[in-house]
Amino acid sequence: MLLLVAPSGGERVNKSASVGRFWSTGKDEGDLLTWKNSAAHDLTDKSIQDEEETQTDGGFSSLDGMLQWAIGNSDPEKLKEAALDIQHLTPEDLMQRQLEVKELMEKLKMPSDAELMKISIADLNNLSLSFEDRHRALQELLVLVEPVDNANDLHKLGGLTAVVKELDDQNTEIRTIAAWVLGKASQNNPFVQNQILELGALLRLIEMTYSNVTEEATKALYAISALIRNNQKGQELFYKHDGSMMLQFFLSHPSIDIRLLRKSVFLLADLVESQLDGRNDVDPSFFSDSNLLKSVVDLMSSADLDLQEKALHAVKNLLLLPYTDALVFKEICKLDAALDKMKQQLLQFLLDDNLKEYAHDVQNLRIEVESLFIAKLDERNKVFS
């Protein structure tokens, strides 16, 4: 006879993405194993997490594993009494006890992340399910694709195809979270980036950035940035699908949502960096366009400190390009005036303990940009003197 005591929360830790969540599904509750201690999904627009979690399956891997745990956590005297009692059991009773132990083992075992992803994907492919069930399935995938191993498995489980399909859904909330899932799965992951590009999702994401629903446009731009970052094929497709026009549109409209401006400037700086590294060859007229350059310099005066810093970083990269004209930065963009205005603002920030560290870092970057600007002007004057 085997005495089994369920392990306490502190004794066994499951490090998969599914830990601590009560998993919902469009299927009947009796078809799935669920567990307590649910944690609410935080779906606010937070910064992207880079920390990867180790994936392990929950529960005991075998009856032997359960037996070893039970022996190590049982009272020796009670085990001795149980051993004496079991001698009086019939073969039928022993068989029944074995079945009970096996059933208990199955109840204690939690679904793996792969099993949970299969459930969510099946729900997305089930056309009879409600909007709420499909929305919930996408929310679950959003959490599950954070570990890189899960993201790598998503396509072979049919998940990427199912999520890309949702980009064409009539409901903006479904489209928004589908774009979010694609961005989360492809972040710093060339393997998944290429899979999504092959499914043709980039063009649709670019179209979604023009949505009059800000959240949809923001998540689509986030997905684009994650999808093409450090990916030559992705950047080539971006230019082919007029992604440069999309960036010019956002950067020339400073009154649009601040999140779109931040993501646009960040993406621009990243694309210029690819040019500097020789990872991509694009028409120089895009990055040297005076209207584009002026739009970025103007954002250095934004009231949003994060946007200011991102714009300054983008200007630095643009100055490093050999074909941008220093005179355009001076005469049209008024970069010298923008740098001086920022200097005065940062001097005030240095007096504020809450902003001192930020001001010090940005001031160093501002000085670097000013030095690049002066050097570029001097070089131009030498050429035309």
Side-chain angles (χ1 to χ4, degrees):
M1 177 179 178
L2 190 61
L3 297 178
L4 295 176
V5 181
S8 64
E11 293 172 284
R12 299 179 65 249
V13 179
N14 185 307
K15 295 183 180 179
S16 68
S18 57
V19 170
R21 293 197 303 274
F22 180 93
W23 213 261
S24 304
T25 176
K27 297 178 182 290
D28 292 334
E29 293 181 3
D31 294 339
L32 301 171
L33 298 172
T34 58
W35 58 92
K36 298 180 181 178
N37 299 325
S38 62
H41 294 336
D42 181 5
L43 296 180
T44 56
D45 190 16
K46 294 181 177 179
S47 61
I48 304 305
Q49 299 179 0
D50 295 327
E51 181 181 358
E52 297 177 359
E53 298 176 19
T54 305
Q55 178 183 351
T56 58
D57 289 337
F60 298 100
S61 59
S62 66
L63 281 171
D64 288 339
M66 178 177 280
L67 177 62
Q68 293 297 325
W69 179 89
I71 291 175
N73 291 272
S74 298
D75 188 327
E77 290 300 322
K78 290 184 178 180
L79 283 177
K80 184 176 180 180
E81 292 175 8
L84 293 174
D85 291 341
I86 204 170
Q87 295 178 7
H88 303 290
L89 296 177
T90 64
E92 290 77 14
D93 291 334
L94 288 173
M95 180 66 72
Q96 180 61 32
R97 292 291 178 87
Q98 187 179 17
L99 291 174
E100 290 173 359
V101 170
K102 184 176 181 180
E103 182 180 352
L104 180 58
M105 184 190 76
E106 291 299 323
K107 287 182 179 179
L108 289 173
K109 183 179 180 181
M110 293 186 295
S112 67
D113 286 357
E115 290 169 333
L116 293 173
M117 286 196 294
K118 288 178 182 178
I119 292 168
S120 298
I121 294 165
D123 285 350
L124 288 180
N125 290 326
N126 188 344
L127 299 180
S128 65
L129 291 185
S130 65
F131 157 78
E132 289 77 11
D133 285 331
R134 287 167 47 242
H135 189 273
R136 185 173 57 236
L138 285 168
Q139 287 179 315
E140 292 162 354
L141 285 177
L142 182 64
V143 179
L144 284 166
V145 299
E146 285 188 14
V148 64
D149 289 340
N150 289 357
N152 289 341
D153 289 341
L154 188 60
H155 192 39
K156 69 181 180 183
L157 296 175
L160 286 181
T161 301
V163 174
V164 169
K165 180 185 65 177
E166 299 298 336
L167 295 177
D168 292 315
D169 192 84
Q170 62 181 359
N171 187 284
T172 184
E173 291 184 43
I174 293 292
R175 297 194 301 269
T176 298
I177 196 168
W180 198 356
V181 172
L182 294 177
K184 183 73 71 70
S186 61
Q187 189 183 18
N188 300 318
N189 191 328
F191 180 69
V192 177
Q193 285 176 335
N194 291 330
Q195 290 176 332
I196 297 175
L197 291 170
E198 289 172 3
L199 291 172
L202 183 58
L203 177 58
R204 177 62 186 131
L205 288 168
I206 291 174
E207 293 171 347
M208 287 170 60
T209 63
Y210 293 102
S211 171
N212 56 7
V213 179
T214 301
E215 194 64 25
E216 178 179 352
T218 303
K219 288 300 186 291
L221 188 52
Y222 157 68
I224 292 169
S225 184
L227 191 56
I228 69 174
R229 189 173 194 192
N230 298 323
N231 189 300
Q232 182 175 346
K233 177 183 177 182
Q235 292 181 13
E236 289 173 355
L237 287 172
F238 176 80
Y239 295 120
K240 179 181 178 182
H241 296 320
D242 292 328
S244 54
M245 291 181 60
M246 175 202 73
L247 278 182
Q248 286 180 313
F249 173 79
F250 288 137
L251 295 173
S252 62
H253 291 79
S255 61
I256 64 173
D257 188 272
I258 195 70
R259 292 173 296 168
L260 284 170
L261 285 174
R262 289 182 195 141
K263 293 182 188 302
S264 296
V265 175
F266 177 82
L267 178 56
L268 176 67
D270 195 56
L271 290 171
V272 177
E273 199 164 303
S274 293
Q275 293 294 300
L276 294 171
D277 293 343
R279 284 178 275 153
N280 217 323
D281 185 21
V282 67
D283 183 1
S285 63
F286 169 55
F287 293 119
S288 59
D289 181 81
S290 60
N291 291 322
L292 174 72
L293 298 178
K294 186 177 187 309
S295 296
V296 180
V297 171
D298 287 346
L299 291 176
M300 289 170 51
S301 300
S302 170
D304 184 84
L305 301 183
D306 187 32
L307 180 57
Q308 271 190 16
E309 185 176 6
K310 284 180 168 58
L312 186 61
H313 183 69
V315 170
K316 171 192 168 183
N317 287 354
L318 288 163
L319 283 168
L320 288 170
L321 289 173
Y323 47 77
T324 52
D325 191 342
L327 198 60
V328 171
F329 279 106
K330 180 176 176 61
E331 300 296 336
I332 298 178
C333 303
K334 310 295 182 183
L335 179 56
D336 46 356
L339 288 169
D340 186 61
K341 181 179 179 181
M342 178 175 279
K343 178 182 179 180
Q344 300 308 315
Q345 182 186 47
L346 291 172
L347 289 175
Q348 293 298 316
F349 287 167
L350 286 171
L351 303 177
D352 188 331
D353 289 338
N354 295 323
L355 295 172
K356 184 181 297 185
E357 185 176 353
Y358 161 83
H360 183 268
D361 292 341
V362 177
Q363 173 66 353
N364 288 336
L365 179 59
R366 192 203 68 81
I367 292 173
E368 184 180 1
V369 170
E370 189 172 48
S371 298
L372 286 171
F373 176 46
I374 293 173
K376 199 175 183 75
L377 272 176
D378 289 343
E379 184 179 349
R380 188 186 191 283
N381 290 335
K382 290 178 181 178
V383 171
F384 290 96
S385 60

